[in-house]
Every structure is written in structure tokens, then in C-alpha cells.
Amino acid sequence: MINDETVLLTLGFFAFCGGLIDAAVGGGGLVQIPALLHALSQHSIATVFGTNKLAVWAGTASSIFKFVHKINFVWKLLIPTMLAAFIFAFIGAMTTAYIPKQLMTYVIFCLLIMMAVYTFLKKDLGARSTYLKCGHKEILLGILFGGLIGFYDGVFGPGSGSFLLFLFVKVFGFDFLNASASAKVVNLGTFSAALLFFIPTGHVLWAIGLTIAVCNIMGSLVGVFLALRYGSQFIRLFFLILLVFLIIRMGLSIF
């Protein structure tokens, strides 16, 4: 099935869409992973996740490269947040077999609803930057939330970019554009940690992974272009649409 051209084209299309969504607001894995699960049904879940991480790592790295010339990153905050996310994503990947995913699904489902309601009601949320400073308190909060989201990304994954985006907007006062770009930096750390686990354990299908990685990169470049062109209000609307999609999808799977 992997060598079938139709399957590769289909996976490439979903990888392009996933890369575009990821670059703008995060959550592209919810488009890409189901397609991989269907196409690679004869392989383990770990192999599907490992192959997916290779593609999203490439797409995320390319989007950061495009953002870095346009966004003033707060590296003093981002580096410790990314390191915490990296460490806990690796721990999460190792403990994935021991975490009750059904319980986590319920928790994430409730969090998504609260995020969607709050973002919808707060019309000015993320419209402009209210970021003031990066002191010890902000760095500690970054480490705390980076570790929590990193662990979730290692164990489960889908939607981690959206949680990061909301974190940077709500907790640190970033506008949606800067938050979207900053979330990519932290996600690059979580994806790298996951690959450090999946590659040595043989859970990456390199031929198909590299193919969809190219499509993911192309989608990411389009997503960055749209984000930079239309700014924070576009990302806010896109973010709300994604949250509604996530809530409906998870709700159907739960109920």
C-alpha cells in the first residue's frame, strides 16, 4: 500500500493541508494523522506517530525559517520554554503506553471548549500585543506550561500547537501572529524529542515520511504567507474554526 501512487498523492495532499494549518494556528496533526492511520493500518501506532513527526518537524522548521525574518522572537522566554517542552515530550513518548488516553481525551475535550468560549467572548484577545516584560516569573511560567504541553505532545499530540498559541496570547500577552510564530519554536523542541525516541526504536518509515515532509513544508510556507499577509485577526478566526473542528471531532469520538 505504501508504494501505491494514489495513496502517496492522497497522503501528500493531507500533509500539505496539515502543514498549512500548523503554520498558521497549530493542530495540523488532526488532518494528517487520520490519513496516515488509514494508509498505514498494517503498522503500529508508534510507527504512524513516528512517521508523522518526521513530516511535521520538517514543516515546522521551514515555517520558523520564514517567520524569523519578520517576527521579533522573545528568545529569553522561548529557549527555557522549549527546553522544558523538549525534556517532557521525550518523557511523555517513553510513558505513552502507561497513560490512560481515554481520560486524557476527556480532559483535552473540556479544555478545548473553554479555550473556544474564552477566545470567542474576548473579541480583543490577541488583536495587539500587550506583552510587557520577561522576568523570572514569566520564565518560570514558560517552563511550567512548556513542560505540561510537551508531556502531552509526547503522549498524545494533536492540538499541542493550539494550546501553545493560546498560552502565549493569554498568559504572556502576545498578539496572535507573534504567538503563532513562538508556538512553532516550542513545537520544534517537542517534535525533536519525539524523533529522538521514535528513530532509534525503528518507528519511522523514511520513504513515505520524507515524501510527506516535502508536502508538509510546502503547506507550511503557504500558511506562513497567509499569517504574515493577513495578521492576527485572520489567525484568531482560523484558530476559532480549528477549535470548533477539534471539539466536534473529539466529541463524536467520545459520545
Side-chain angles (χ1 to χ4, degrees):
M1 183 177 288
I2 293 176
N3 295 321
D4 186 86
E5 290 184 4
T6 304
V7 173
L8 283 176
L9 284 173
T10 303
L11 287 177
F13 171 75
F14 281 105
F16 176 88
C17 294
L20 190 156
I21 294 169
D22 248 338
V25 292
L30 288 145
V31 173
Q32 193 165 296
I33 289 176
L36 283 169
L37 283 170
H38 177 73
L40 307 178
S41 57
Q42 72 273 38
H43 294 277
S44 68
I45 293 294
T47 300
V48 172
F49 283 176
T51 304
N52 176 67
K53 290 297 184 188
L54 177 65
V56 295
W57 185 95
T60 301
S62 66
S63 66
I64 291 173
F65 180 77
K66 293 293 289 184
F67 270 127
V68 78
H69 301 294
K70 305 287 185 179
I71 301 294
N72 292 320
F73 288 104
V74 186
W75 293 111
K76 185 179 178 181
L77 173 65
L78 285 179
I79 290 176
T81 303
M82 181 179 68
L83 288 175
F86 176 91
I87 293 168
F88 280 91
F90 188 81
I91 294 171
M94 289 192 300
T95 59
T96 185
Y98 308 101
I99 302 295
K101 285 189 171 61
Q102 193 64 29
L103 175 62
M104 183 167 287
T105 301
Y106 292 136
V107 173
I108 299 307
F109 181 69
C110 294
L111 288 174
L112 287 172
I113 292 174
M114 287 189 288
M115 281 168 52
V117 171
Y118 186 86
T119 304
F120 179 77
L121 293 176
K122 295 281 288 185
K123 304 295 184 184
D124 59 341
L125 181 69
R128 63 189 64 84
S129 177
T130 57
Y131 172 78
L132 297 175
K133 66 185 179 85
C134 180
H136 295 301
K137 178 185 176 182
E138 286 73 24
I139 292 173
L140 288 174
L141 284 173
I143 292 172
L144 172 63
F145 287 113
L148 290 172
I149 296 173
F151 184 79
Y152 164 73
D153 195 31
V155 174
F156 196 58
S160 64
S162 299
F163 284 117
L164 285 167
L165 188 153
F166 187 79
L167 165 71
F168 283 115
V169 171
K170 180 66 180 73
V171 177
F172 299 115
F174 287 19
D175 60 68
F176 269 104
L177 180 59
N178 279 269
S180 178
S182 298
K184 302 295 162 292
V185 175
V186 180
N187 260 149
L188 189 67
T190 63
F191 296 157
S192 299
L195 283 174
L196 284 177
F197 173 77
F198 287 125
I199 290 175
T201 52
H203 289 304
V204 174
L205 300 174
W206 288 97
I208 196 167
L210 291 172
T211 301
I212 61 174
V214 172
C215 298
N216 202 275
I217 289 172
M218 291 190 291
S220 293
L221 295 178
V222 173
V224 172
F225 170 78
L226 292 173
L228 292 173
R229 176 71 181 272
Y230 298 105
S232 290
Q233 283 305 313
F234 164 77
I235 296 177
R236 179 183 183 274
L237 177 61
F238 207 173
F239 180 63
L240 276 171
I241 293 171
L242 177 71
L243 287 181
V244 171
F245 172 77
L246 291 176
I247 290 166
I248 293 172
R249 183 176 180 81
M250 292 190 77
L252 289 174
S253 67
I254 291 173
F255 302 109

